[in-house]
Amino acid sequence: MEDYSHILTHLGEDRNQVLGAVNPPIYYSSNFAFNTVAEMRHALTHEMDVPFYTRGHNPTVAVLRKKLAALEKAEECLLFGSGSAAMAAAVMSQVQQGDHVVCVQKPYSWTGKLLVKLLSRYGVSHTFIDGSEATNYEAAIQENTKLLILESPNSMTFELQDLPAVAAIAKKHGIRTICDNSYASPINQNPIEMGIDIVIHSATKYLSGHSDVIAGALCTSREIAEKIFQSEYMTIGAILSPHDAWLLMRGIRTLSLRMQRIAETTPKIVEYLAAHPLVDKVYYPFLTDNPQHDLAKKQMKQAGGQFSIELKVDSIDKVDAFCNALQTFLMACSWGGYESLIFPISTLYQSANYAETTLPWNFIRFYVGLEEAAYLIADLEQAFDGIS
Ligand SMILES: *Cc1c(COP(=O)(O)O)cnc(C)c1O
């Protein structure tokens, strides 16, 4: 296991600058004042790196930028008010009218909507492909393709893409790549090391880890980050507030500890469910009979806490009864916090999203938080008892 102690505890924190404060103060200031024209001129021409105006640079946010860049083995990180804002800025920075994007099928819902509903209005077209074969990306490349989008593993069914293989295809064609790395967190997978150009995180999930902040991160080279800063970042202005950066910093102190704990607990829950007579199918990259198990072991260091199951029951009422009976697993969207969760697909069945999902009615997405495995299994057991 890699040692993250320095990054999580000290990197980016110049404590001499802040009266020795152990934890970085929240710089709640929109603007910063200068003594001389020369000083102000310097700040204005280095807005990405020094305090001038908080939409560009803020000292509290800056500490976190350094930590996240280091965690992702990137030169730079820009922080956003949500993961969706980070993804939108990344994608928009790489395309213009007439361009084409190849994206893995079934990406995070709002990544899909960015392509289908928003960028299509500005003359940017797209193709969704089955990403389980890297060659499918190459086959979909057109003359005007500028960008390949990956999400490995993706949400809900957790299909992987071979990151080095897709990155190599992109490089051969002079095309940029973006990978949503929210599932794995920077602890379990580092796409930049595998040749990906831009890594996106919903920092709302594992990075925050406490179900209290909505935030996003974009990690990339200095060159790409500078371009995004001068354009999408400053123009759209979807920044992370200093207070939310501070909360995120509080969460990130324990990131490697939490990921370690989750990697130990989740396989126990998965094994219990995989062996249960009322479970039909388990979707989990680290299950040995998963067709992408070898790829998962090759490019991810350890397992995350998300997996899905299909219940072996004959009615949606039984699915609902099972979910309603769970007490310690909360029923909610999102994941990555301290609390274990379920997201039953049956909740979509009366909503407008029903038409958009290809997932079966007996499908339940799980997230394992920081509780003890036995405590969670006891909850599952009593819920199964109620429907058998
Ligand atoms: C939640 C999520 C996002 C969006 O992040 P927000 O912080 O909610 O905007 C993007 N990608 C994945 C995989 C997610 O789970």
Side-chain angles (χ1 to χ4, degrees):
M1 194 66 193
E2 206 170 321
D3 187 354
Y4 297 96
S5 308
H6 178 68
I7 298 174
L8 299 179
T9 313
H10 297 300
L11 184 77
E13 300 178 62
D14 186 352
R15 297 191 171 100
N16 291 328
Q17 294 282 322
V18 291
L19 306 176
V22 165
N23 199 45
I26 309 178
Y27 280 87
Y28 243 130
S29 191
S30 56
N31 46 355
F32 297 83
F34 304 92
N35 291 316
T36 66
V37 173
E39 280 176 18
M40 186 160 169
R41 185 182 296 131
H42 176 267
L44 184 52
T45 50
H46 297 83
E47 223 186 326
M48 184 168 153
D49 303 308
V50 298
F52 179 76
Y53 187 58
T54 280
R55 176 154 43 78
H57 183 106
N58 176 277
T60 312
V61 178
V63 177
L64 200 52
R65 280 176 56 193
K66 291 224 173 70
K67 289 189 192 295
L68 284 175
L71 286 172
E72 269 305 2
K73 322 220 187 290
E75 289 170 8
E76 264 297 347
C77 168
L78 295 173
L79 288 166
F80 292 82
S82 71
S84 293
M87 180 56 89
V91 174
M92 288 166 75
S93 74
Q94 300 303 316
V95 293
Q96 57 185 23
Q97 190 180 19
D99 286 346
H100 174 253
V101 178
V102 181
C103 181
V104 65
Q105 68 187 1
K106 299 185 280 165
Y108 178 70
S109 58
W110 295 98
T111 302
K113 283 176 195 174
L114 172 70
L115 297 172
V116 175
K117 301 240 164 95
L118 200 147
L119 288 175
S120 61
R121 288 170 26 214
Y122 298 91
V124 176
S125 59
H126 60 268
T127 306
F128 290 116
I129 53 128
D130 171 358
S132 59
E133 296 291 338
T135 48
N136 293 345
Y137 272 97
E138 188 150 38
I141 291 173
Q142 306 173 2
E143 225 167 87
N144 56 343
T145 304
K146 292 288 158 56
L147 180 64
L148 309 183
I149 301 178
L150 304 88
E151 183 180 319
S152 183
N154 66 347
S155 308
M156 294 295 186
T157 45
F158 318 114
E159 284 100 26
L160 277 66
Q161 299 101 64
D162 185 326
L163 301 183
V166 178
I169 289 166
K171 291 220 157 64
K172 190 171 95 189
H173 292 267
I175 296 170
R176 289 256 167 86
T177 45
I178 298 174
C179 181
D180 184 328
N181 199 30
S182 305
Y183 175 101
S185 91
I187 304 296
N188 291 339
Q189 178 169 274
N190 296 122
I192 286 175
E193 281 194 323
M194 296 182 244
I196 298 295
D197 296 305
I198 304 174
V199 168
I200 297 300
H201 281 285
S202 170
T204 310
K205 313 290 167 55
Y206 283 128
L207 299 177
S208 148
H210 292 74
S211 304
D212 48 8
V213 181
I214 299 281
L218 185 165
C219 301
T220 187
S221 66
R222 176 74 193 183
E223 186 194 348
I224 294 173
E226 272 178 1
K227 278 190 77 175
I228 294 174
F229 180 85
Q230 294 299 342
S231 182
E232 290 76 19
Y233 185 82
M234 288 299 282
T235 309
I236 298 170
I239 62 158
L240 187 66
S241 77
H243 186 257
D244 283 350
W246 183 87
L247 278 171
L248 194 46
M249 190 119 51
R250 183 177 170 131
I252 215 166
R253 301 283 187 200
T254 56
L255 179 65
S256 70
L257 201 63
R258 288 186 281 109
M259 297 315 294
Q260 189 64 43
R261 163 76 171 193
I262 287 164
E264 284 161 16
T265 313
T266 311
K268 294 180 188 162
I269 313 292
V270 169
E271 272 162 36
Y272 166 80
L273 286 167
H276 200 284
L278 289 177
V279 175
D280 223 1
K281 188 170 174 187
V282 181
Y283 299 74
Y284 189 56
F286 280 84
L287 211 57
T288 43
D289 62 1
N290 185 298
Q292 293 186 300
H293 181 242
D294 287 342
L295 180 58
K297 281 207 316 208
K298 200 173 97 191
Q299 63 187 21
M300 291 168 66
K301 286 175 200 147
Q302 57 183 10
Q306 308 97 298
F307 64 90
S308 297
I309 64 167
E310 288 176 25
L311 280 183
K312 197 187 281 180
V313 291
D314 53 15
S315 72
I316 203 165
D317 289 345
K318 285 246 173 82
V319 177
D320 291 359
F322 173 78
C323 294
N324 292 344
L326 289 171
Q327 298 296 314
T328 57
F329 282 90
L330 299 179
M331 204 186 303
C333 70
S334 198
W335 44 266
Y338 52 87
E339 78 290 6
S340 291
L341 299 169
I342 54 159
F343 188 140
I345 283 301
S346 65
T347 55
L348 298 181
Y349 271 61
Q350 265 110 40
S351 82
N353 291 331
Y354 176 35
E356 287 173 27
T357 182
T358 53
L359 299 170
W361 52 269
N362 57 343
F363 185 100
I364 305 169
R365 202 260 316 270
F366 277 77
Y367 164 68
V368 172
L370 302 179
E371 306 93 328
E372 299 283 347
Y375 175 73
L376 295 173
I377 289 170
D379 192 32
L380 292 166
E381 222 147 50
Q382 63 81 23
F384 277 127
D385 286 349
I387 59 163
S388 53

